[in-house]
Amino acid sequence: MMQETPQLCVIIDTEEEFDWDGPFRREARAVTSIAAQDKAQAIFARYGIIPTYAIDHPVASDPDAVMLLKAYQDRGEAVIGAHLHPWVSPPFEEEVCRAHSYPGNLTPALEYEKLRILTAIIEDAFKKRPLVYKAGRYGLGPNTPEILARLGYKVDCSIVPYTDFSDDQGPDFLHETPHLRAFSPAADILELPLSNAFAGVLRGQGRWLYPRIQTPFLRRMHLPGICARLGLLERIRLSPEGQDARDHIRLTKAMFKDGFRVFSYTYHSPSLAPGHTPYVQSPADLTRFLDQMDRYFEFFFKTLGGHAATPLEIYDQWSMTKGAGKESHAASSRP
């Protein structure tokens, strides 16, 4: 059955370096930032964290990247999952455009074939089949659950609750919550959403209230920032990219009070090498980035008394609960 002790999963979008503001390019396949992952691994080791590196095709096909990540895996220091960036994943049949950067917008056959090939190359390189999936750009589609089931995946980590990517032709997760659940209609796959939720005294109304204070007019009036500063309502993502440890501690305290016991923390691997993501542009930025990560983990494991877990460990707990015909406390705590 699911544990009452809070558990933290760390899931890393492990990918090539590309221009986040520019057009997607098939030839942008450099993975030099993989060598920088040791900086975070040293922090993980202090807290007993076994991160999941969800890797994409450029990473899985680069010998140096594979050597480093496989060493983590073989020492029991990491789990390897899959992360599909369509524009750099064969077969190259689709037009390269923003819509097709979301895997779920591809035809069912092409989404399947790209993930099948990626799964095979990861299995060949790491001698283990990946069982954890995170869609590139969080790009789930209507065919993704069936595709993951066909390929033998156990956990999906792609959903960003209370977030809408439809303006960029991506998925709409506005009505999704951070609760663990079956990845419908694939009843045997666990959905482990990113911990992206509301804090503040009005968080219970966050699902309907937050979108209403995000209109262009109210944003010009700085209402979202005022609500956050007054402790009324804010949406916080459990990631060191753009938010700090104080934000994460507020979010975790709020979610814990609301009954959540499984937390999912994430970032992009290129953030560990300055200049590749908007969040880390200098060595000083990187120092702050790692420090905020360390501060949050210290709170979670020492102050809150939490434990580290991998998505597959959470899956095993969920499967036992599901098999016994019971709902976990986390899954039954509906807002």
Side-chain angles (χ1 to χ4, degrees):
M1 60 185 297
M2 297 298 297
Q3 299 183 24
E4 283 298 301
T5 302
Q7 300 178 90
L8 181 70
C9 298
V10 174
I11 303 161
I12 302 159
D13 295 22
T14 312
E15 58 194 36
E16 78 285 359
E17 296 111 36
F18 64 98
D19 184 355
W20 286 26
D21 296 320
F24 297 98
R25 298 185 301 118
R26 295 210 194 275
E27 60 272 22
R29 298 181 60 88
V31 293
T32 60
S33 59
I34 298 302
Q37 304 311 305
D38 278 346
K39 298 179 178 67
Q41 278 291 134
I43 298 174
F44 299 151
R46 291 205 295 273
Y47 296 100
I49 297 169
I50 299 175
T52 296
Y53 288 93
I55 70 176
D56 70 359
H57 194 277
V59 175
S61 57
D62 183 90
D64 292 335
V66 169
M67 183 182 300
L68 178 70
L69 296 173
K70 189 173 185 297
Y72 295 160
Q73 172 197 264
D74 292 350
R75 292 195 300 262
E77 298 171 357
V79 171
I80 304 299
H83 184 58
L84 181 58
H85 275 184
W87 64 96
V88 287
S89 296
F92 299 123
E93 299 176 1
E94 81 285 7
E95 176 191 0
V96 177
C97 61
R98 296 203 72 80
H100 290 157
S101 70
Y102 296 97
N105 287 340
L106 302 174
T107 65
L110 187 54
E111 183 183 4
Y112 171 81
E113 190 62 12
K114 283 180 180 285
L115 186 54
R116 184 194 67 78
I117 291 173
L118 175 60
T119 302
I121 194 173
I122 293 173
E123 183 173 17
D124 181 65
F126 290 86
K127 311 309 177 188
K128 287 187 179 181
R129 191 172 183 85
L131 301 174
V132 179
Y133 178 67
K134 187 172 184 182
R137 311 202 71 218
Y138 317 109
L140 293 182
N143 304 296
T144 308
E146 180 184 354
I147 289 170
L148 294 186
R150 288 176 63 190
L151 293 172
Y153 282 86
K154 292 184 175 181
V155 184
D156 176 76
C157 306
S158 307
I159 287 178
V160 187
Y162 311 124
T163 305
D164 184 4
F165 298 102
S166 59
D167 282 350
D168 193 47
Q169 303 179 69
D172 180 358
F173 297 132
L174 271 180
H175 300 292
E176 299 284 357
T177 75
H179 297 91
L180 301 179
R181 55 195 178 275
F183 189 37
S184 180
D188 292 329
I189 296 177
L190 171 65
E191 176 57 42
L192 173 58
L194 172 60
S195 293
N196 186 65
F198 302 111
V201 296
L202 299 178
R203 66 183 182 277
Q205 290 75 49
R207 187 188 299 188
W208 67 267
L209 181 57
Y210 188 82
R212 286 164 172 77
I213 66 172
Q214 293 293 321
T215 65
F217 173 73
L218 293 179
R219 289 179 68 86
R220 287 196 299 272
M221 300 298 292
H222 307 292
L223 185 60
I226 292 170
C227 287
R229 287 192 296 274
L230 293 177
L232 298 176
L233 182 67
E234 58 183 324
R235 188 182 65 188
I236 300 172
R237 182 177 297 188
L238 201 55
S239 170
E241 295 174 330
Q243 295 181 303
D244 62 25
R246 291 172 299 179
D247 300 323
H248 298 151
I249 291 168
R250 282 200 308 281
L251 172 66
T252 302
K253 287 180 176 179
M255 291 183 68
F256 186 83
K257 186 174 182 180
D258 291 341
F260 289 89
R261 295 297 180 266
V262 176
F263 298 83
S264 178
Y265 183 99
T266 192
Y267 63 89
H268 298 80
S269 61
S271 285
L272 292 191
H276 294 307
T277 72
Y279 309 106
V280 177
Q281 289 291 304
S282 68
D285 288 344
L286 178 59
T287 298
R288 285 191 292 270
F289 188 90
L290 294 169
D291 180 65
Q292 294 305 313
M293 190 183 301
D294 199 352
R295 288 171 183 263
Y296 174 67
F297 294 156
E298 182 175 24
F299 160 79
F300 192 91
F301 296 110
K302 296 183 178 179
T303 303
L304 193 62
H307 292 167
T310 69
L312 294 176
E313 289 172 334
I314 300 298
Y315 172 85
D316 288 342
Q317 297 168 26
W318 173 75
S319 295
M320 291 175 62
T321 299
K322 186 166 68 78
K326 300 175 183 177
E327 284 192 331
S328 70
H329 182 77
S332 62
S333 300
R334 294 292 186 260

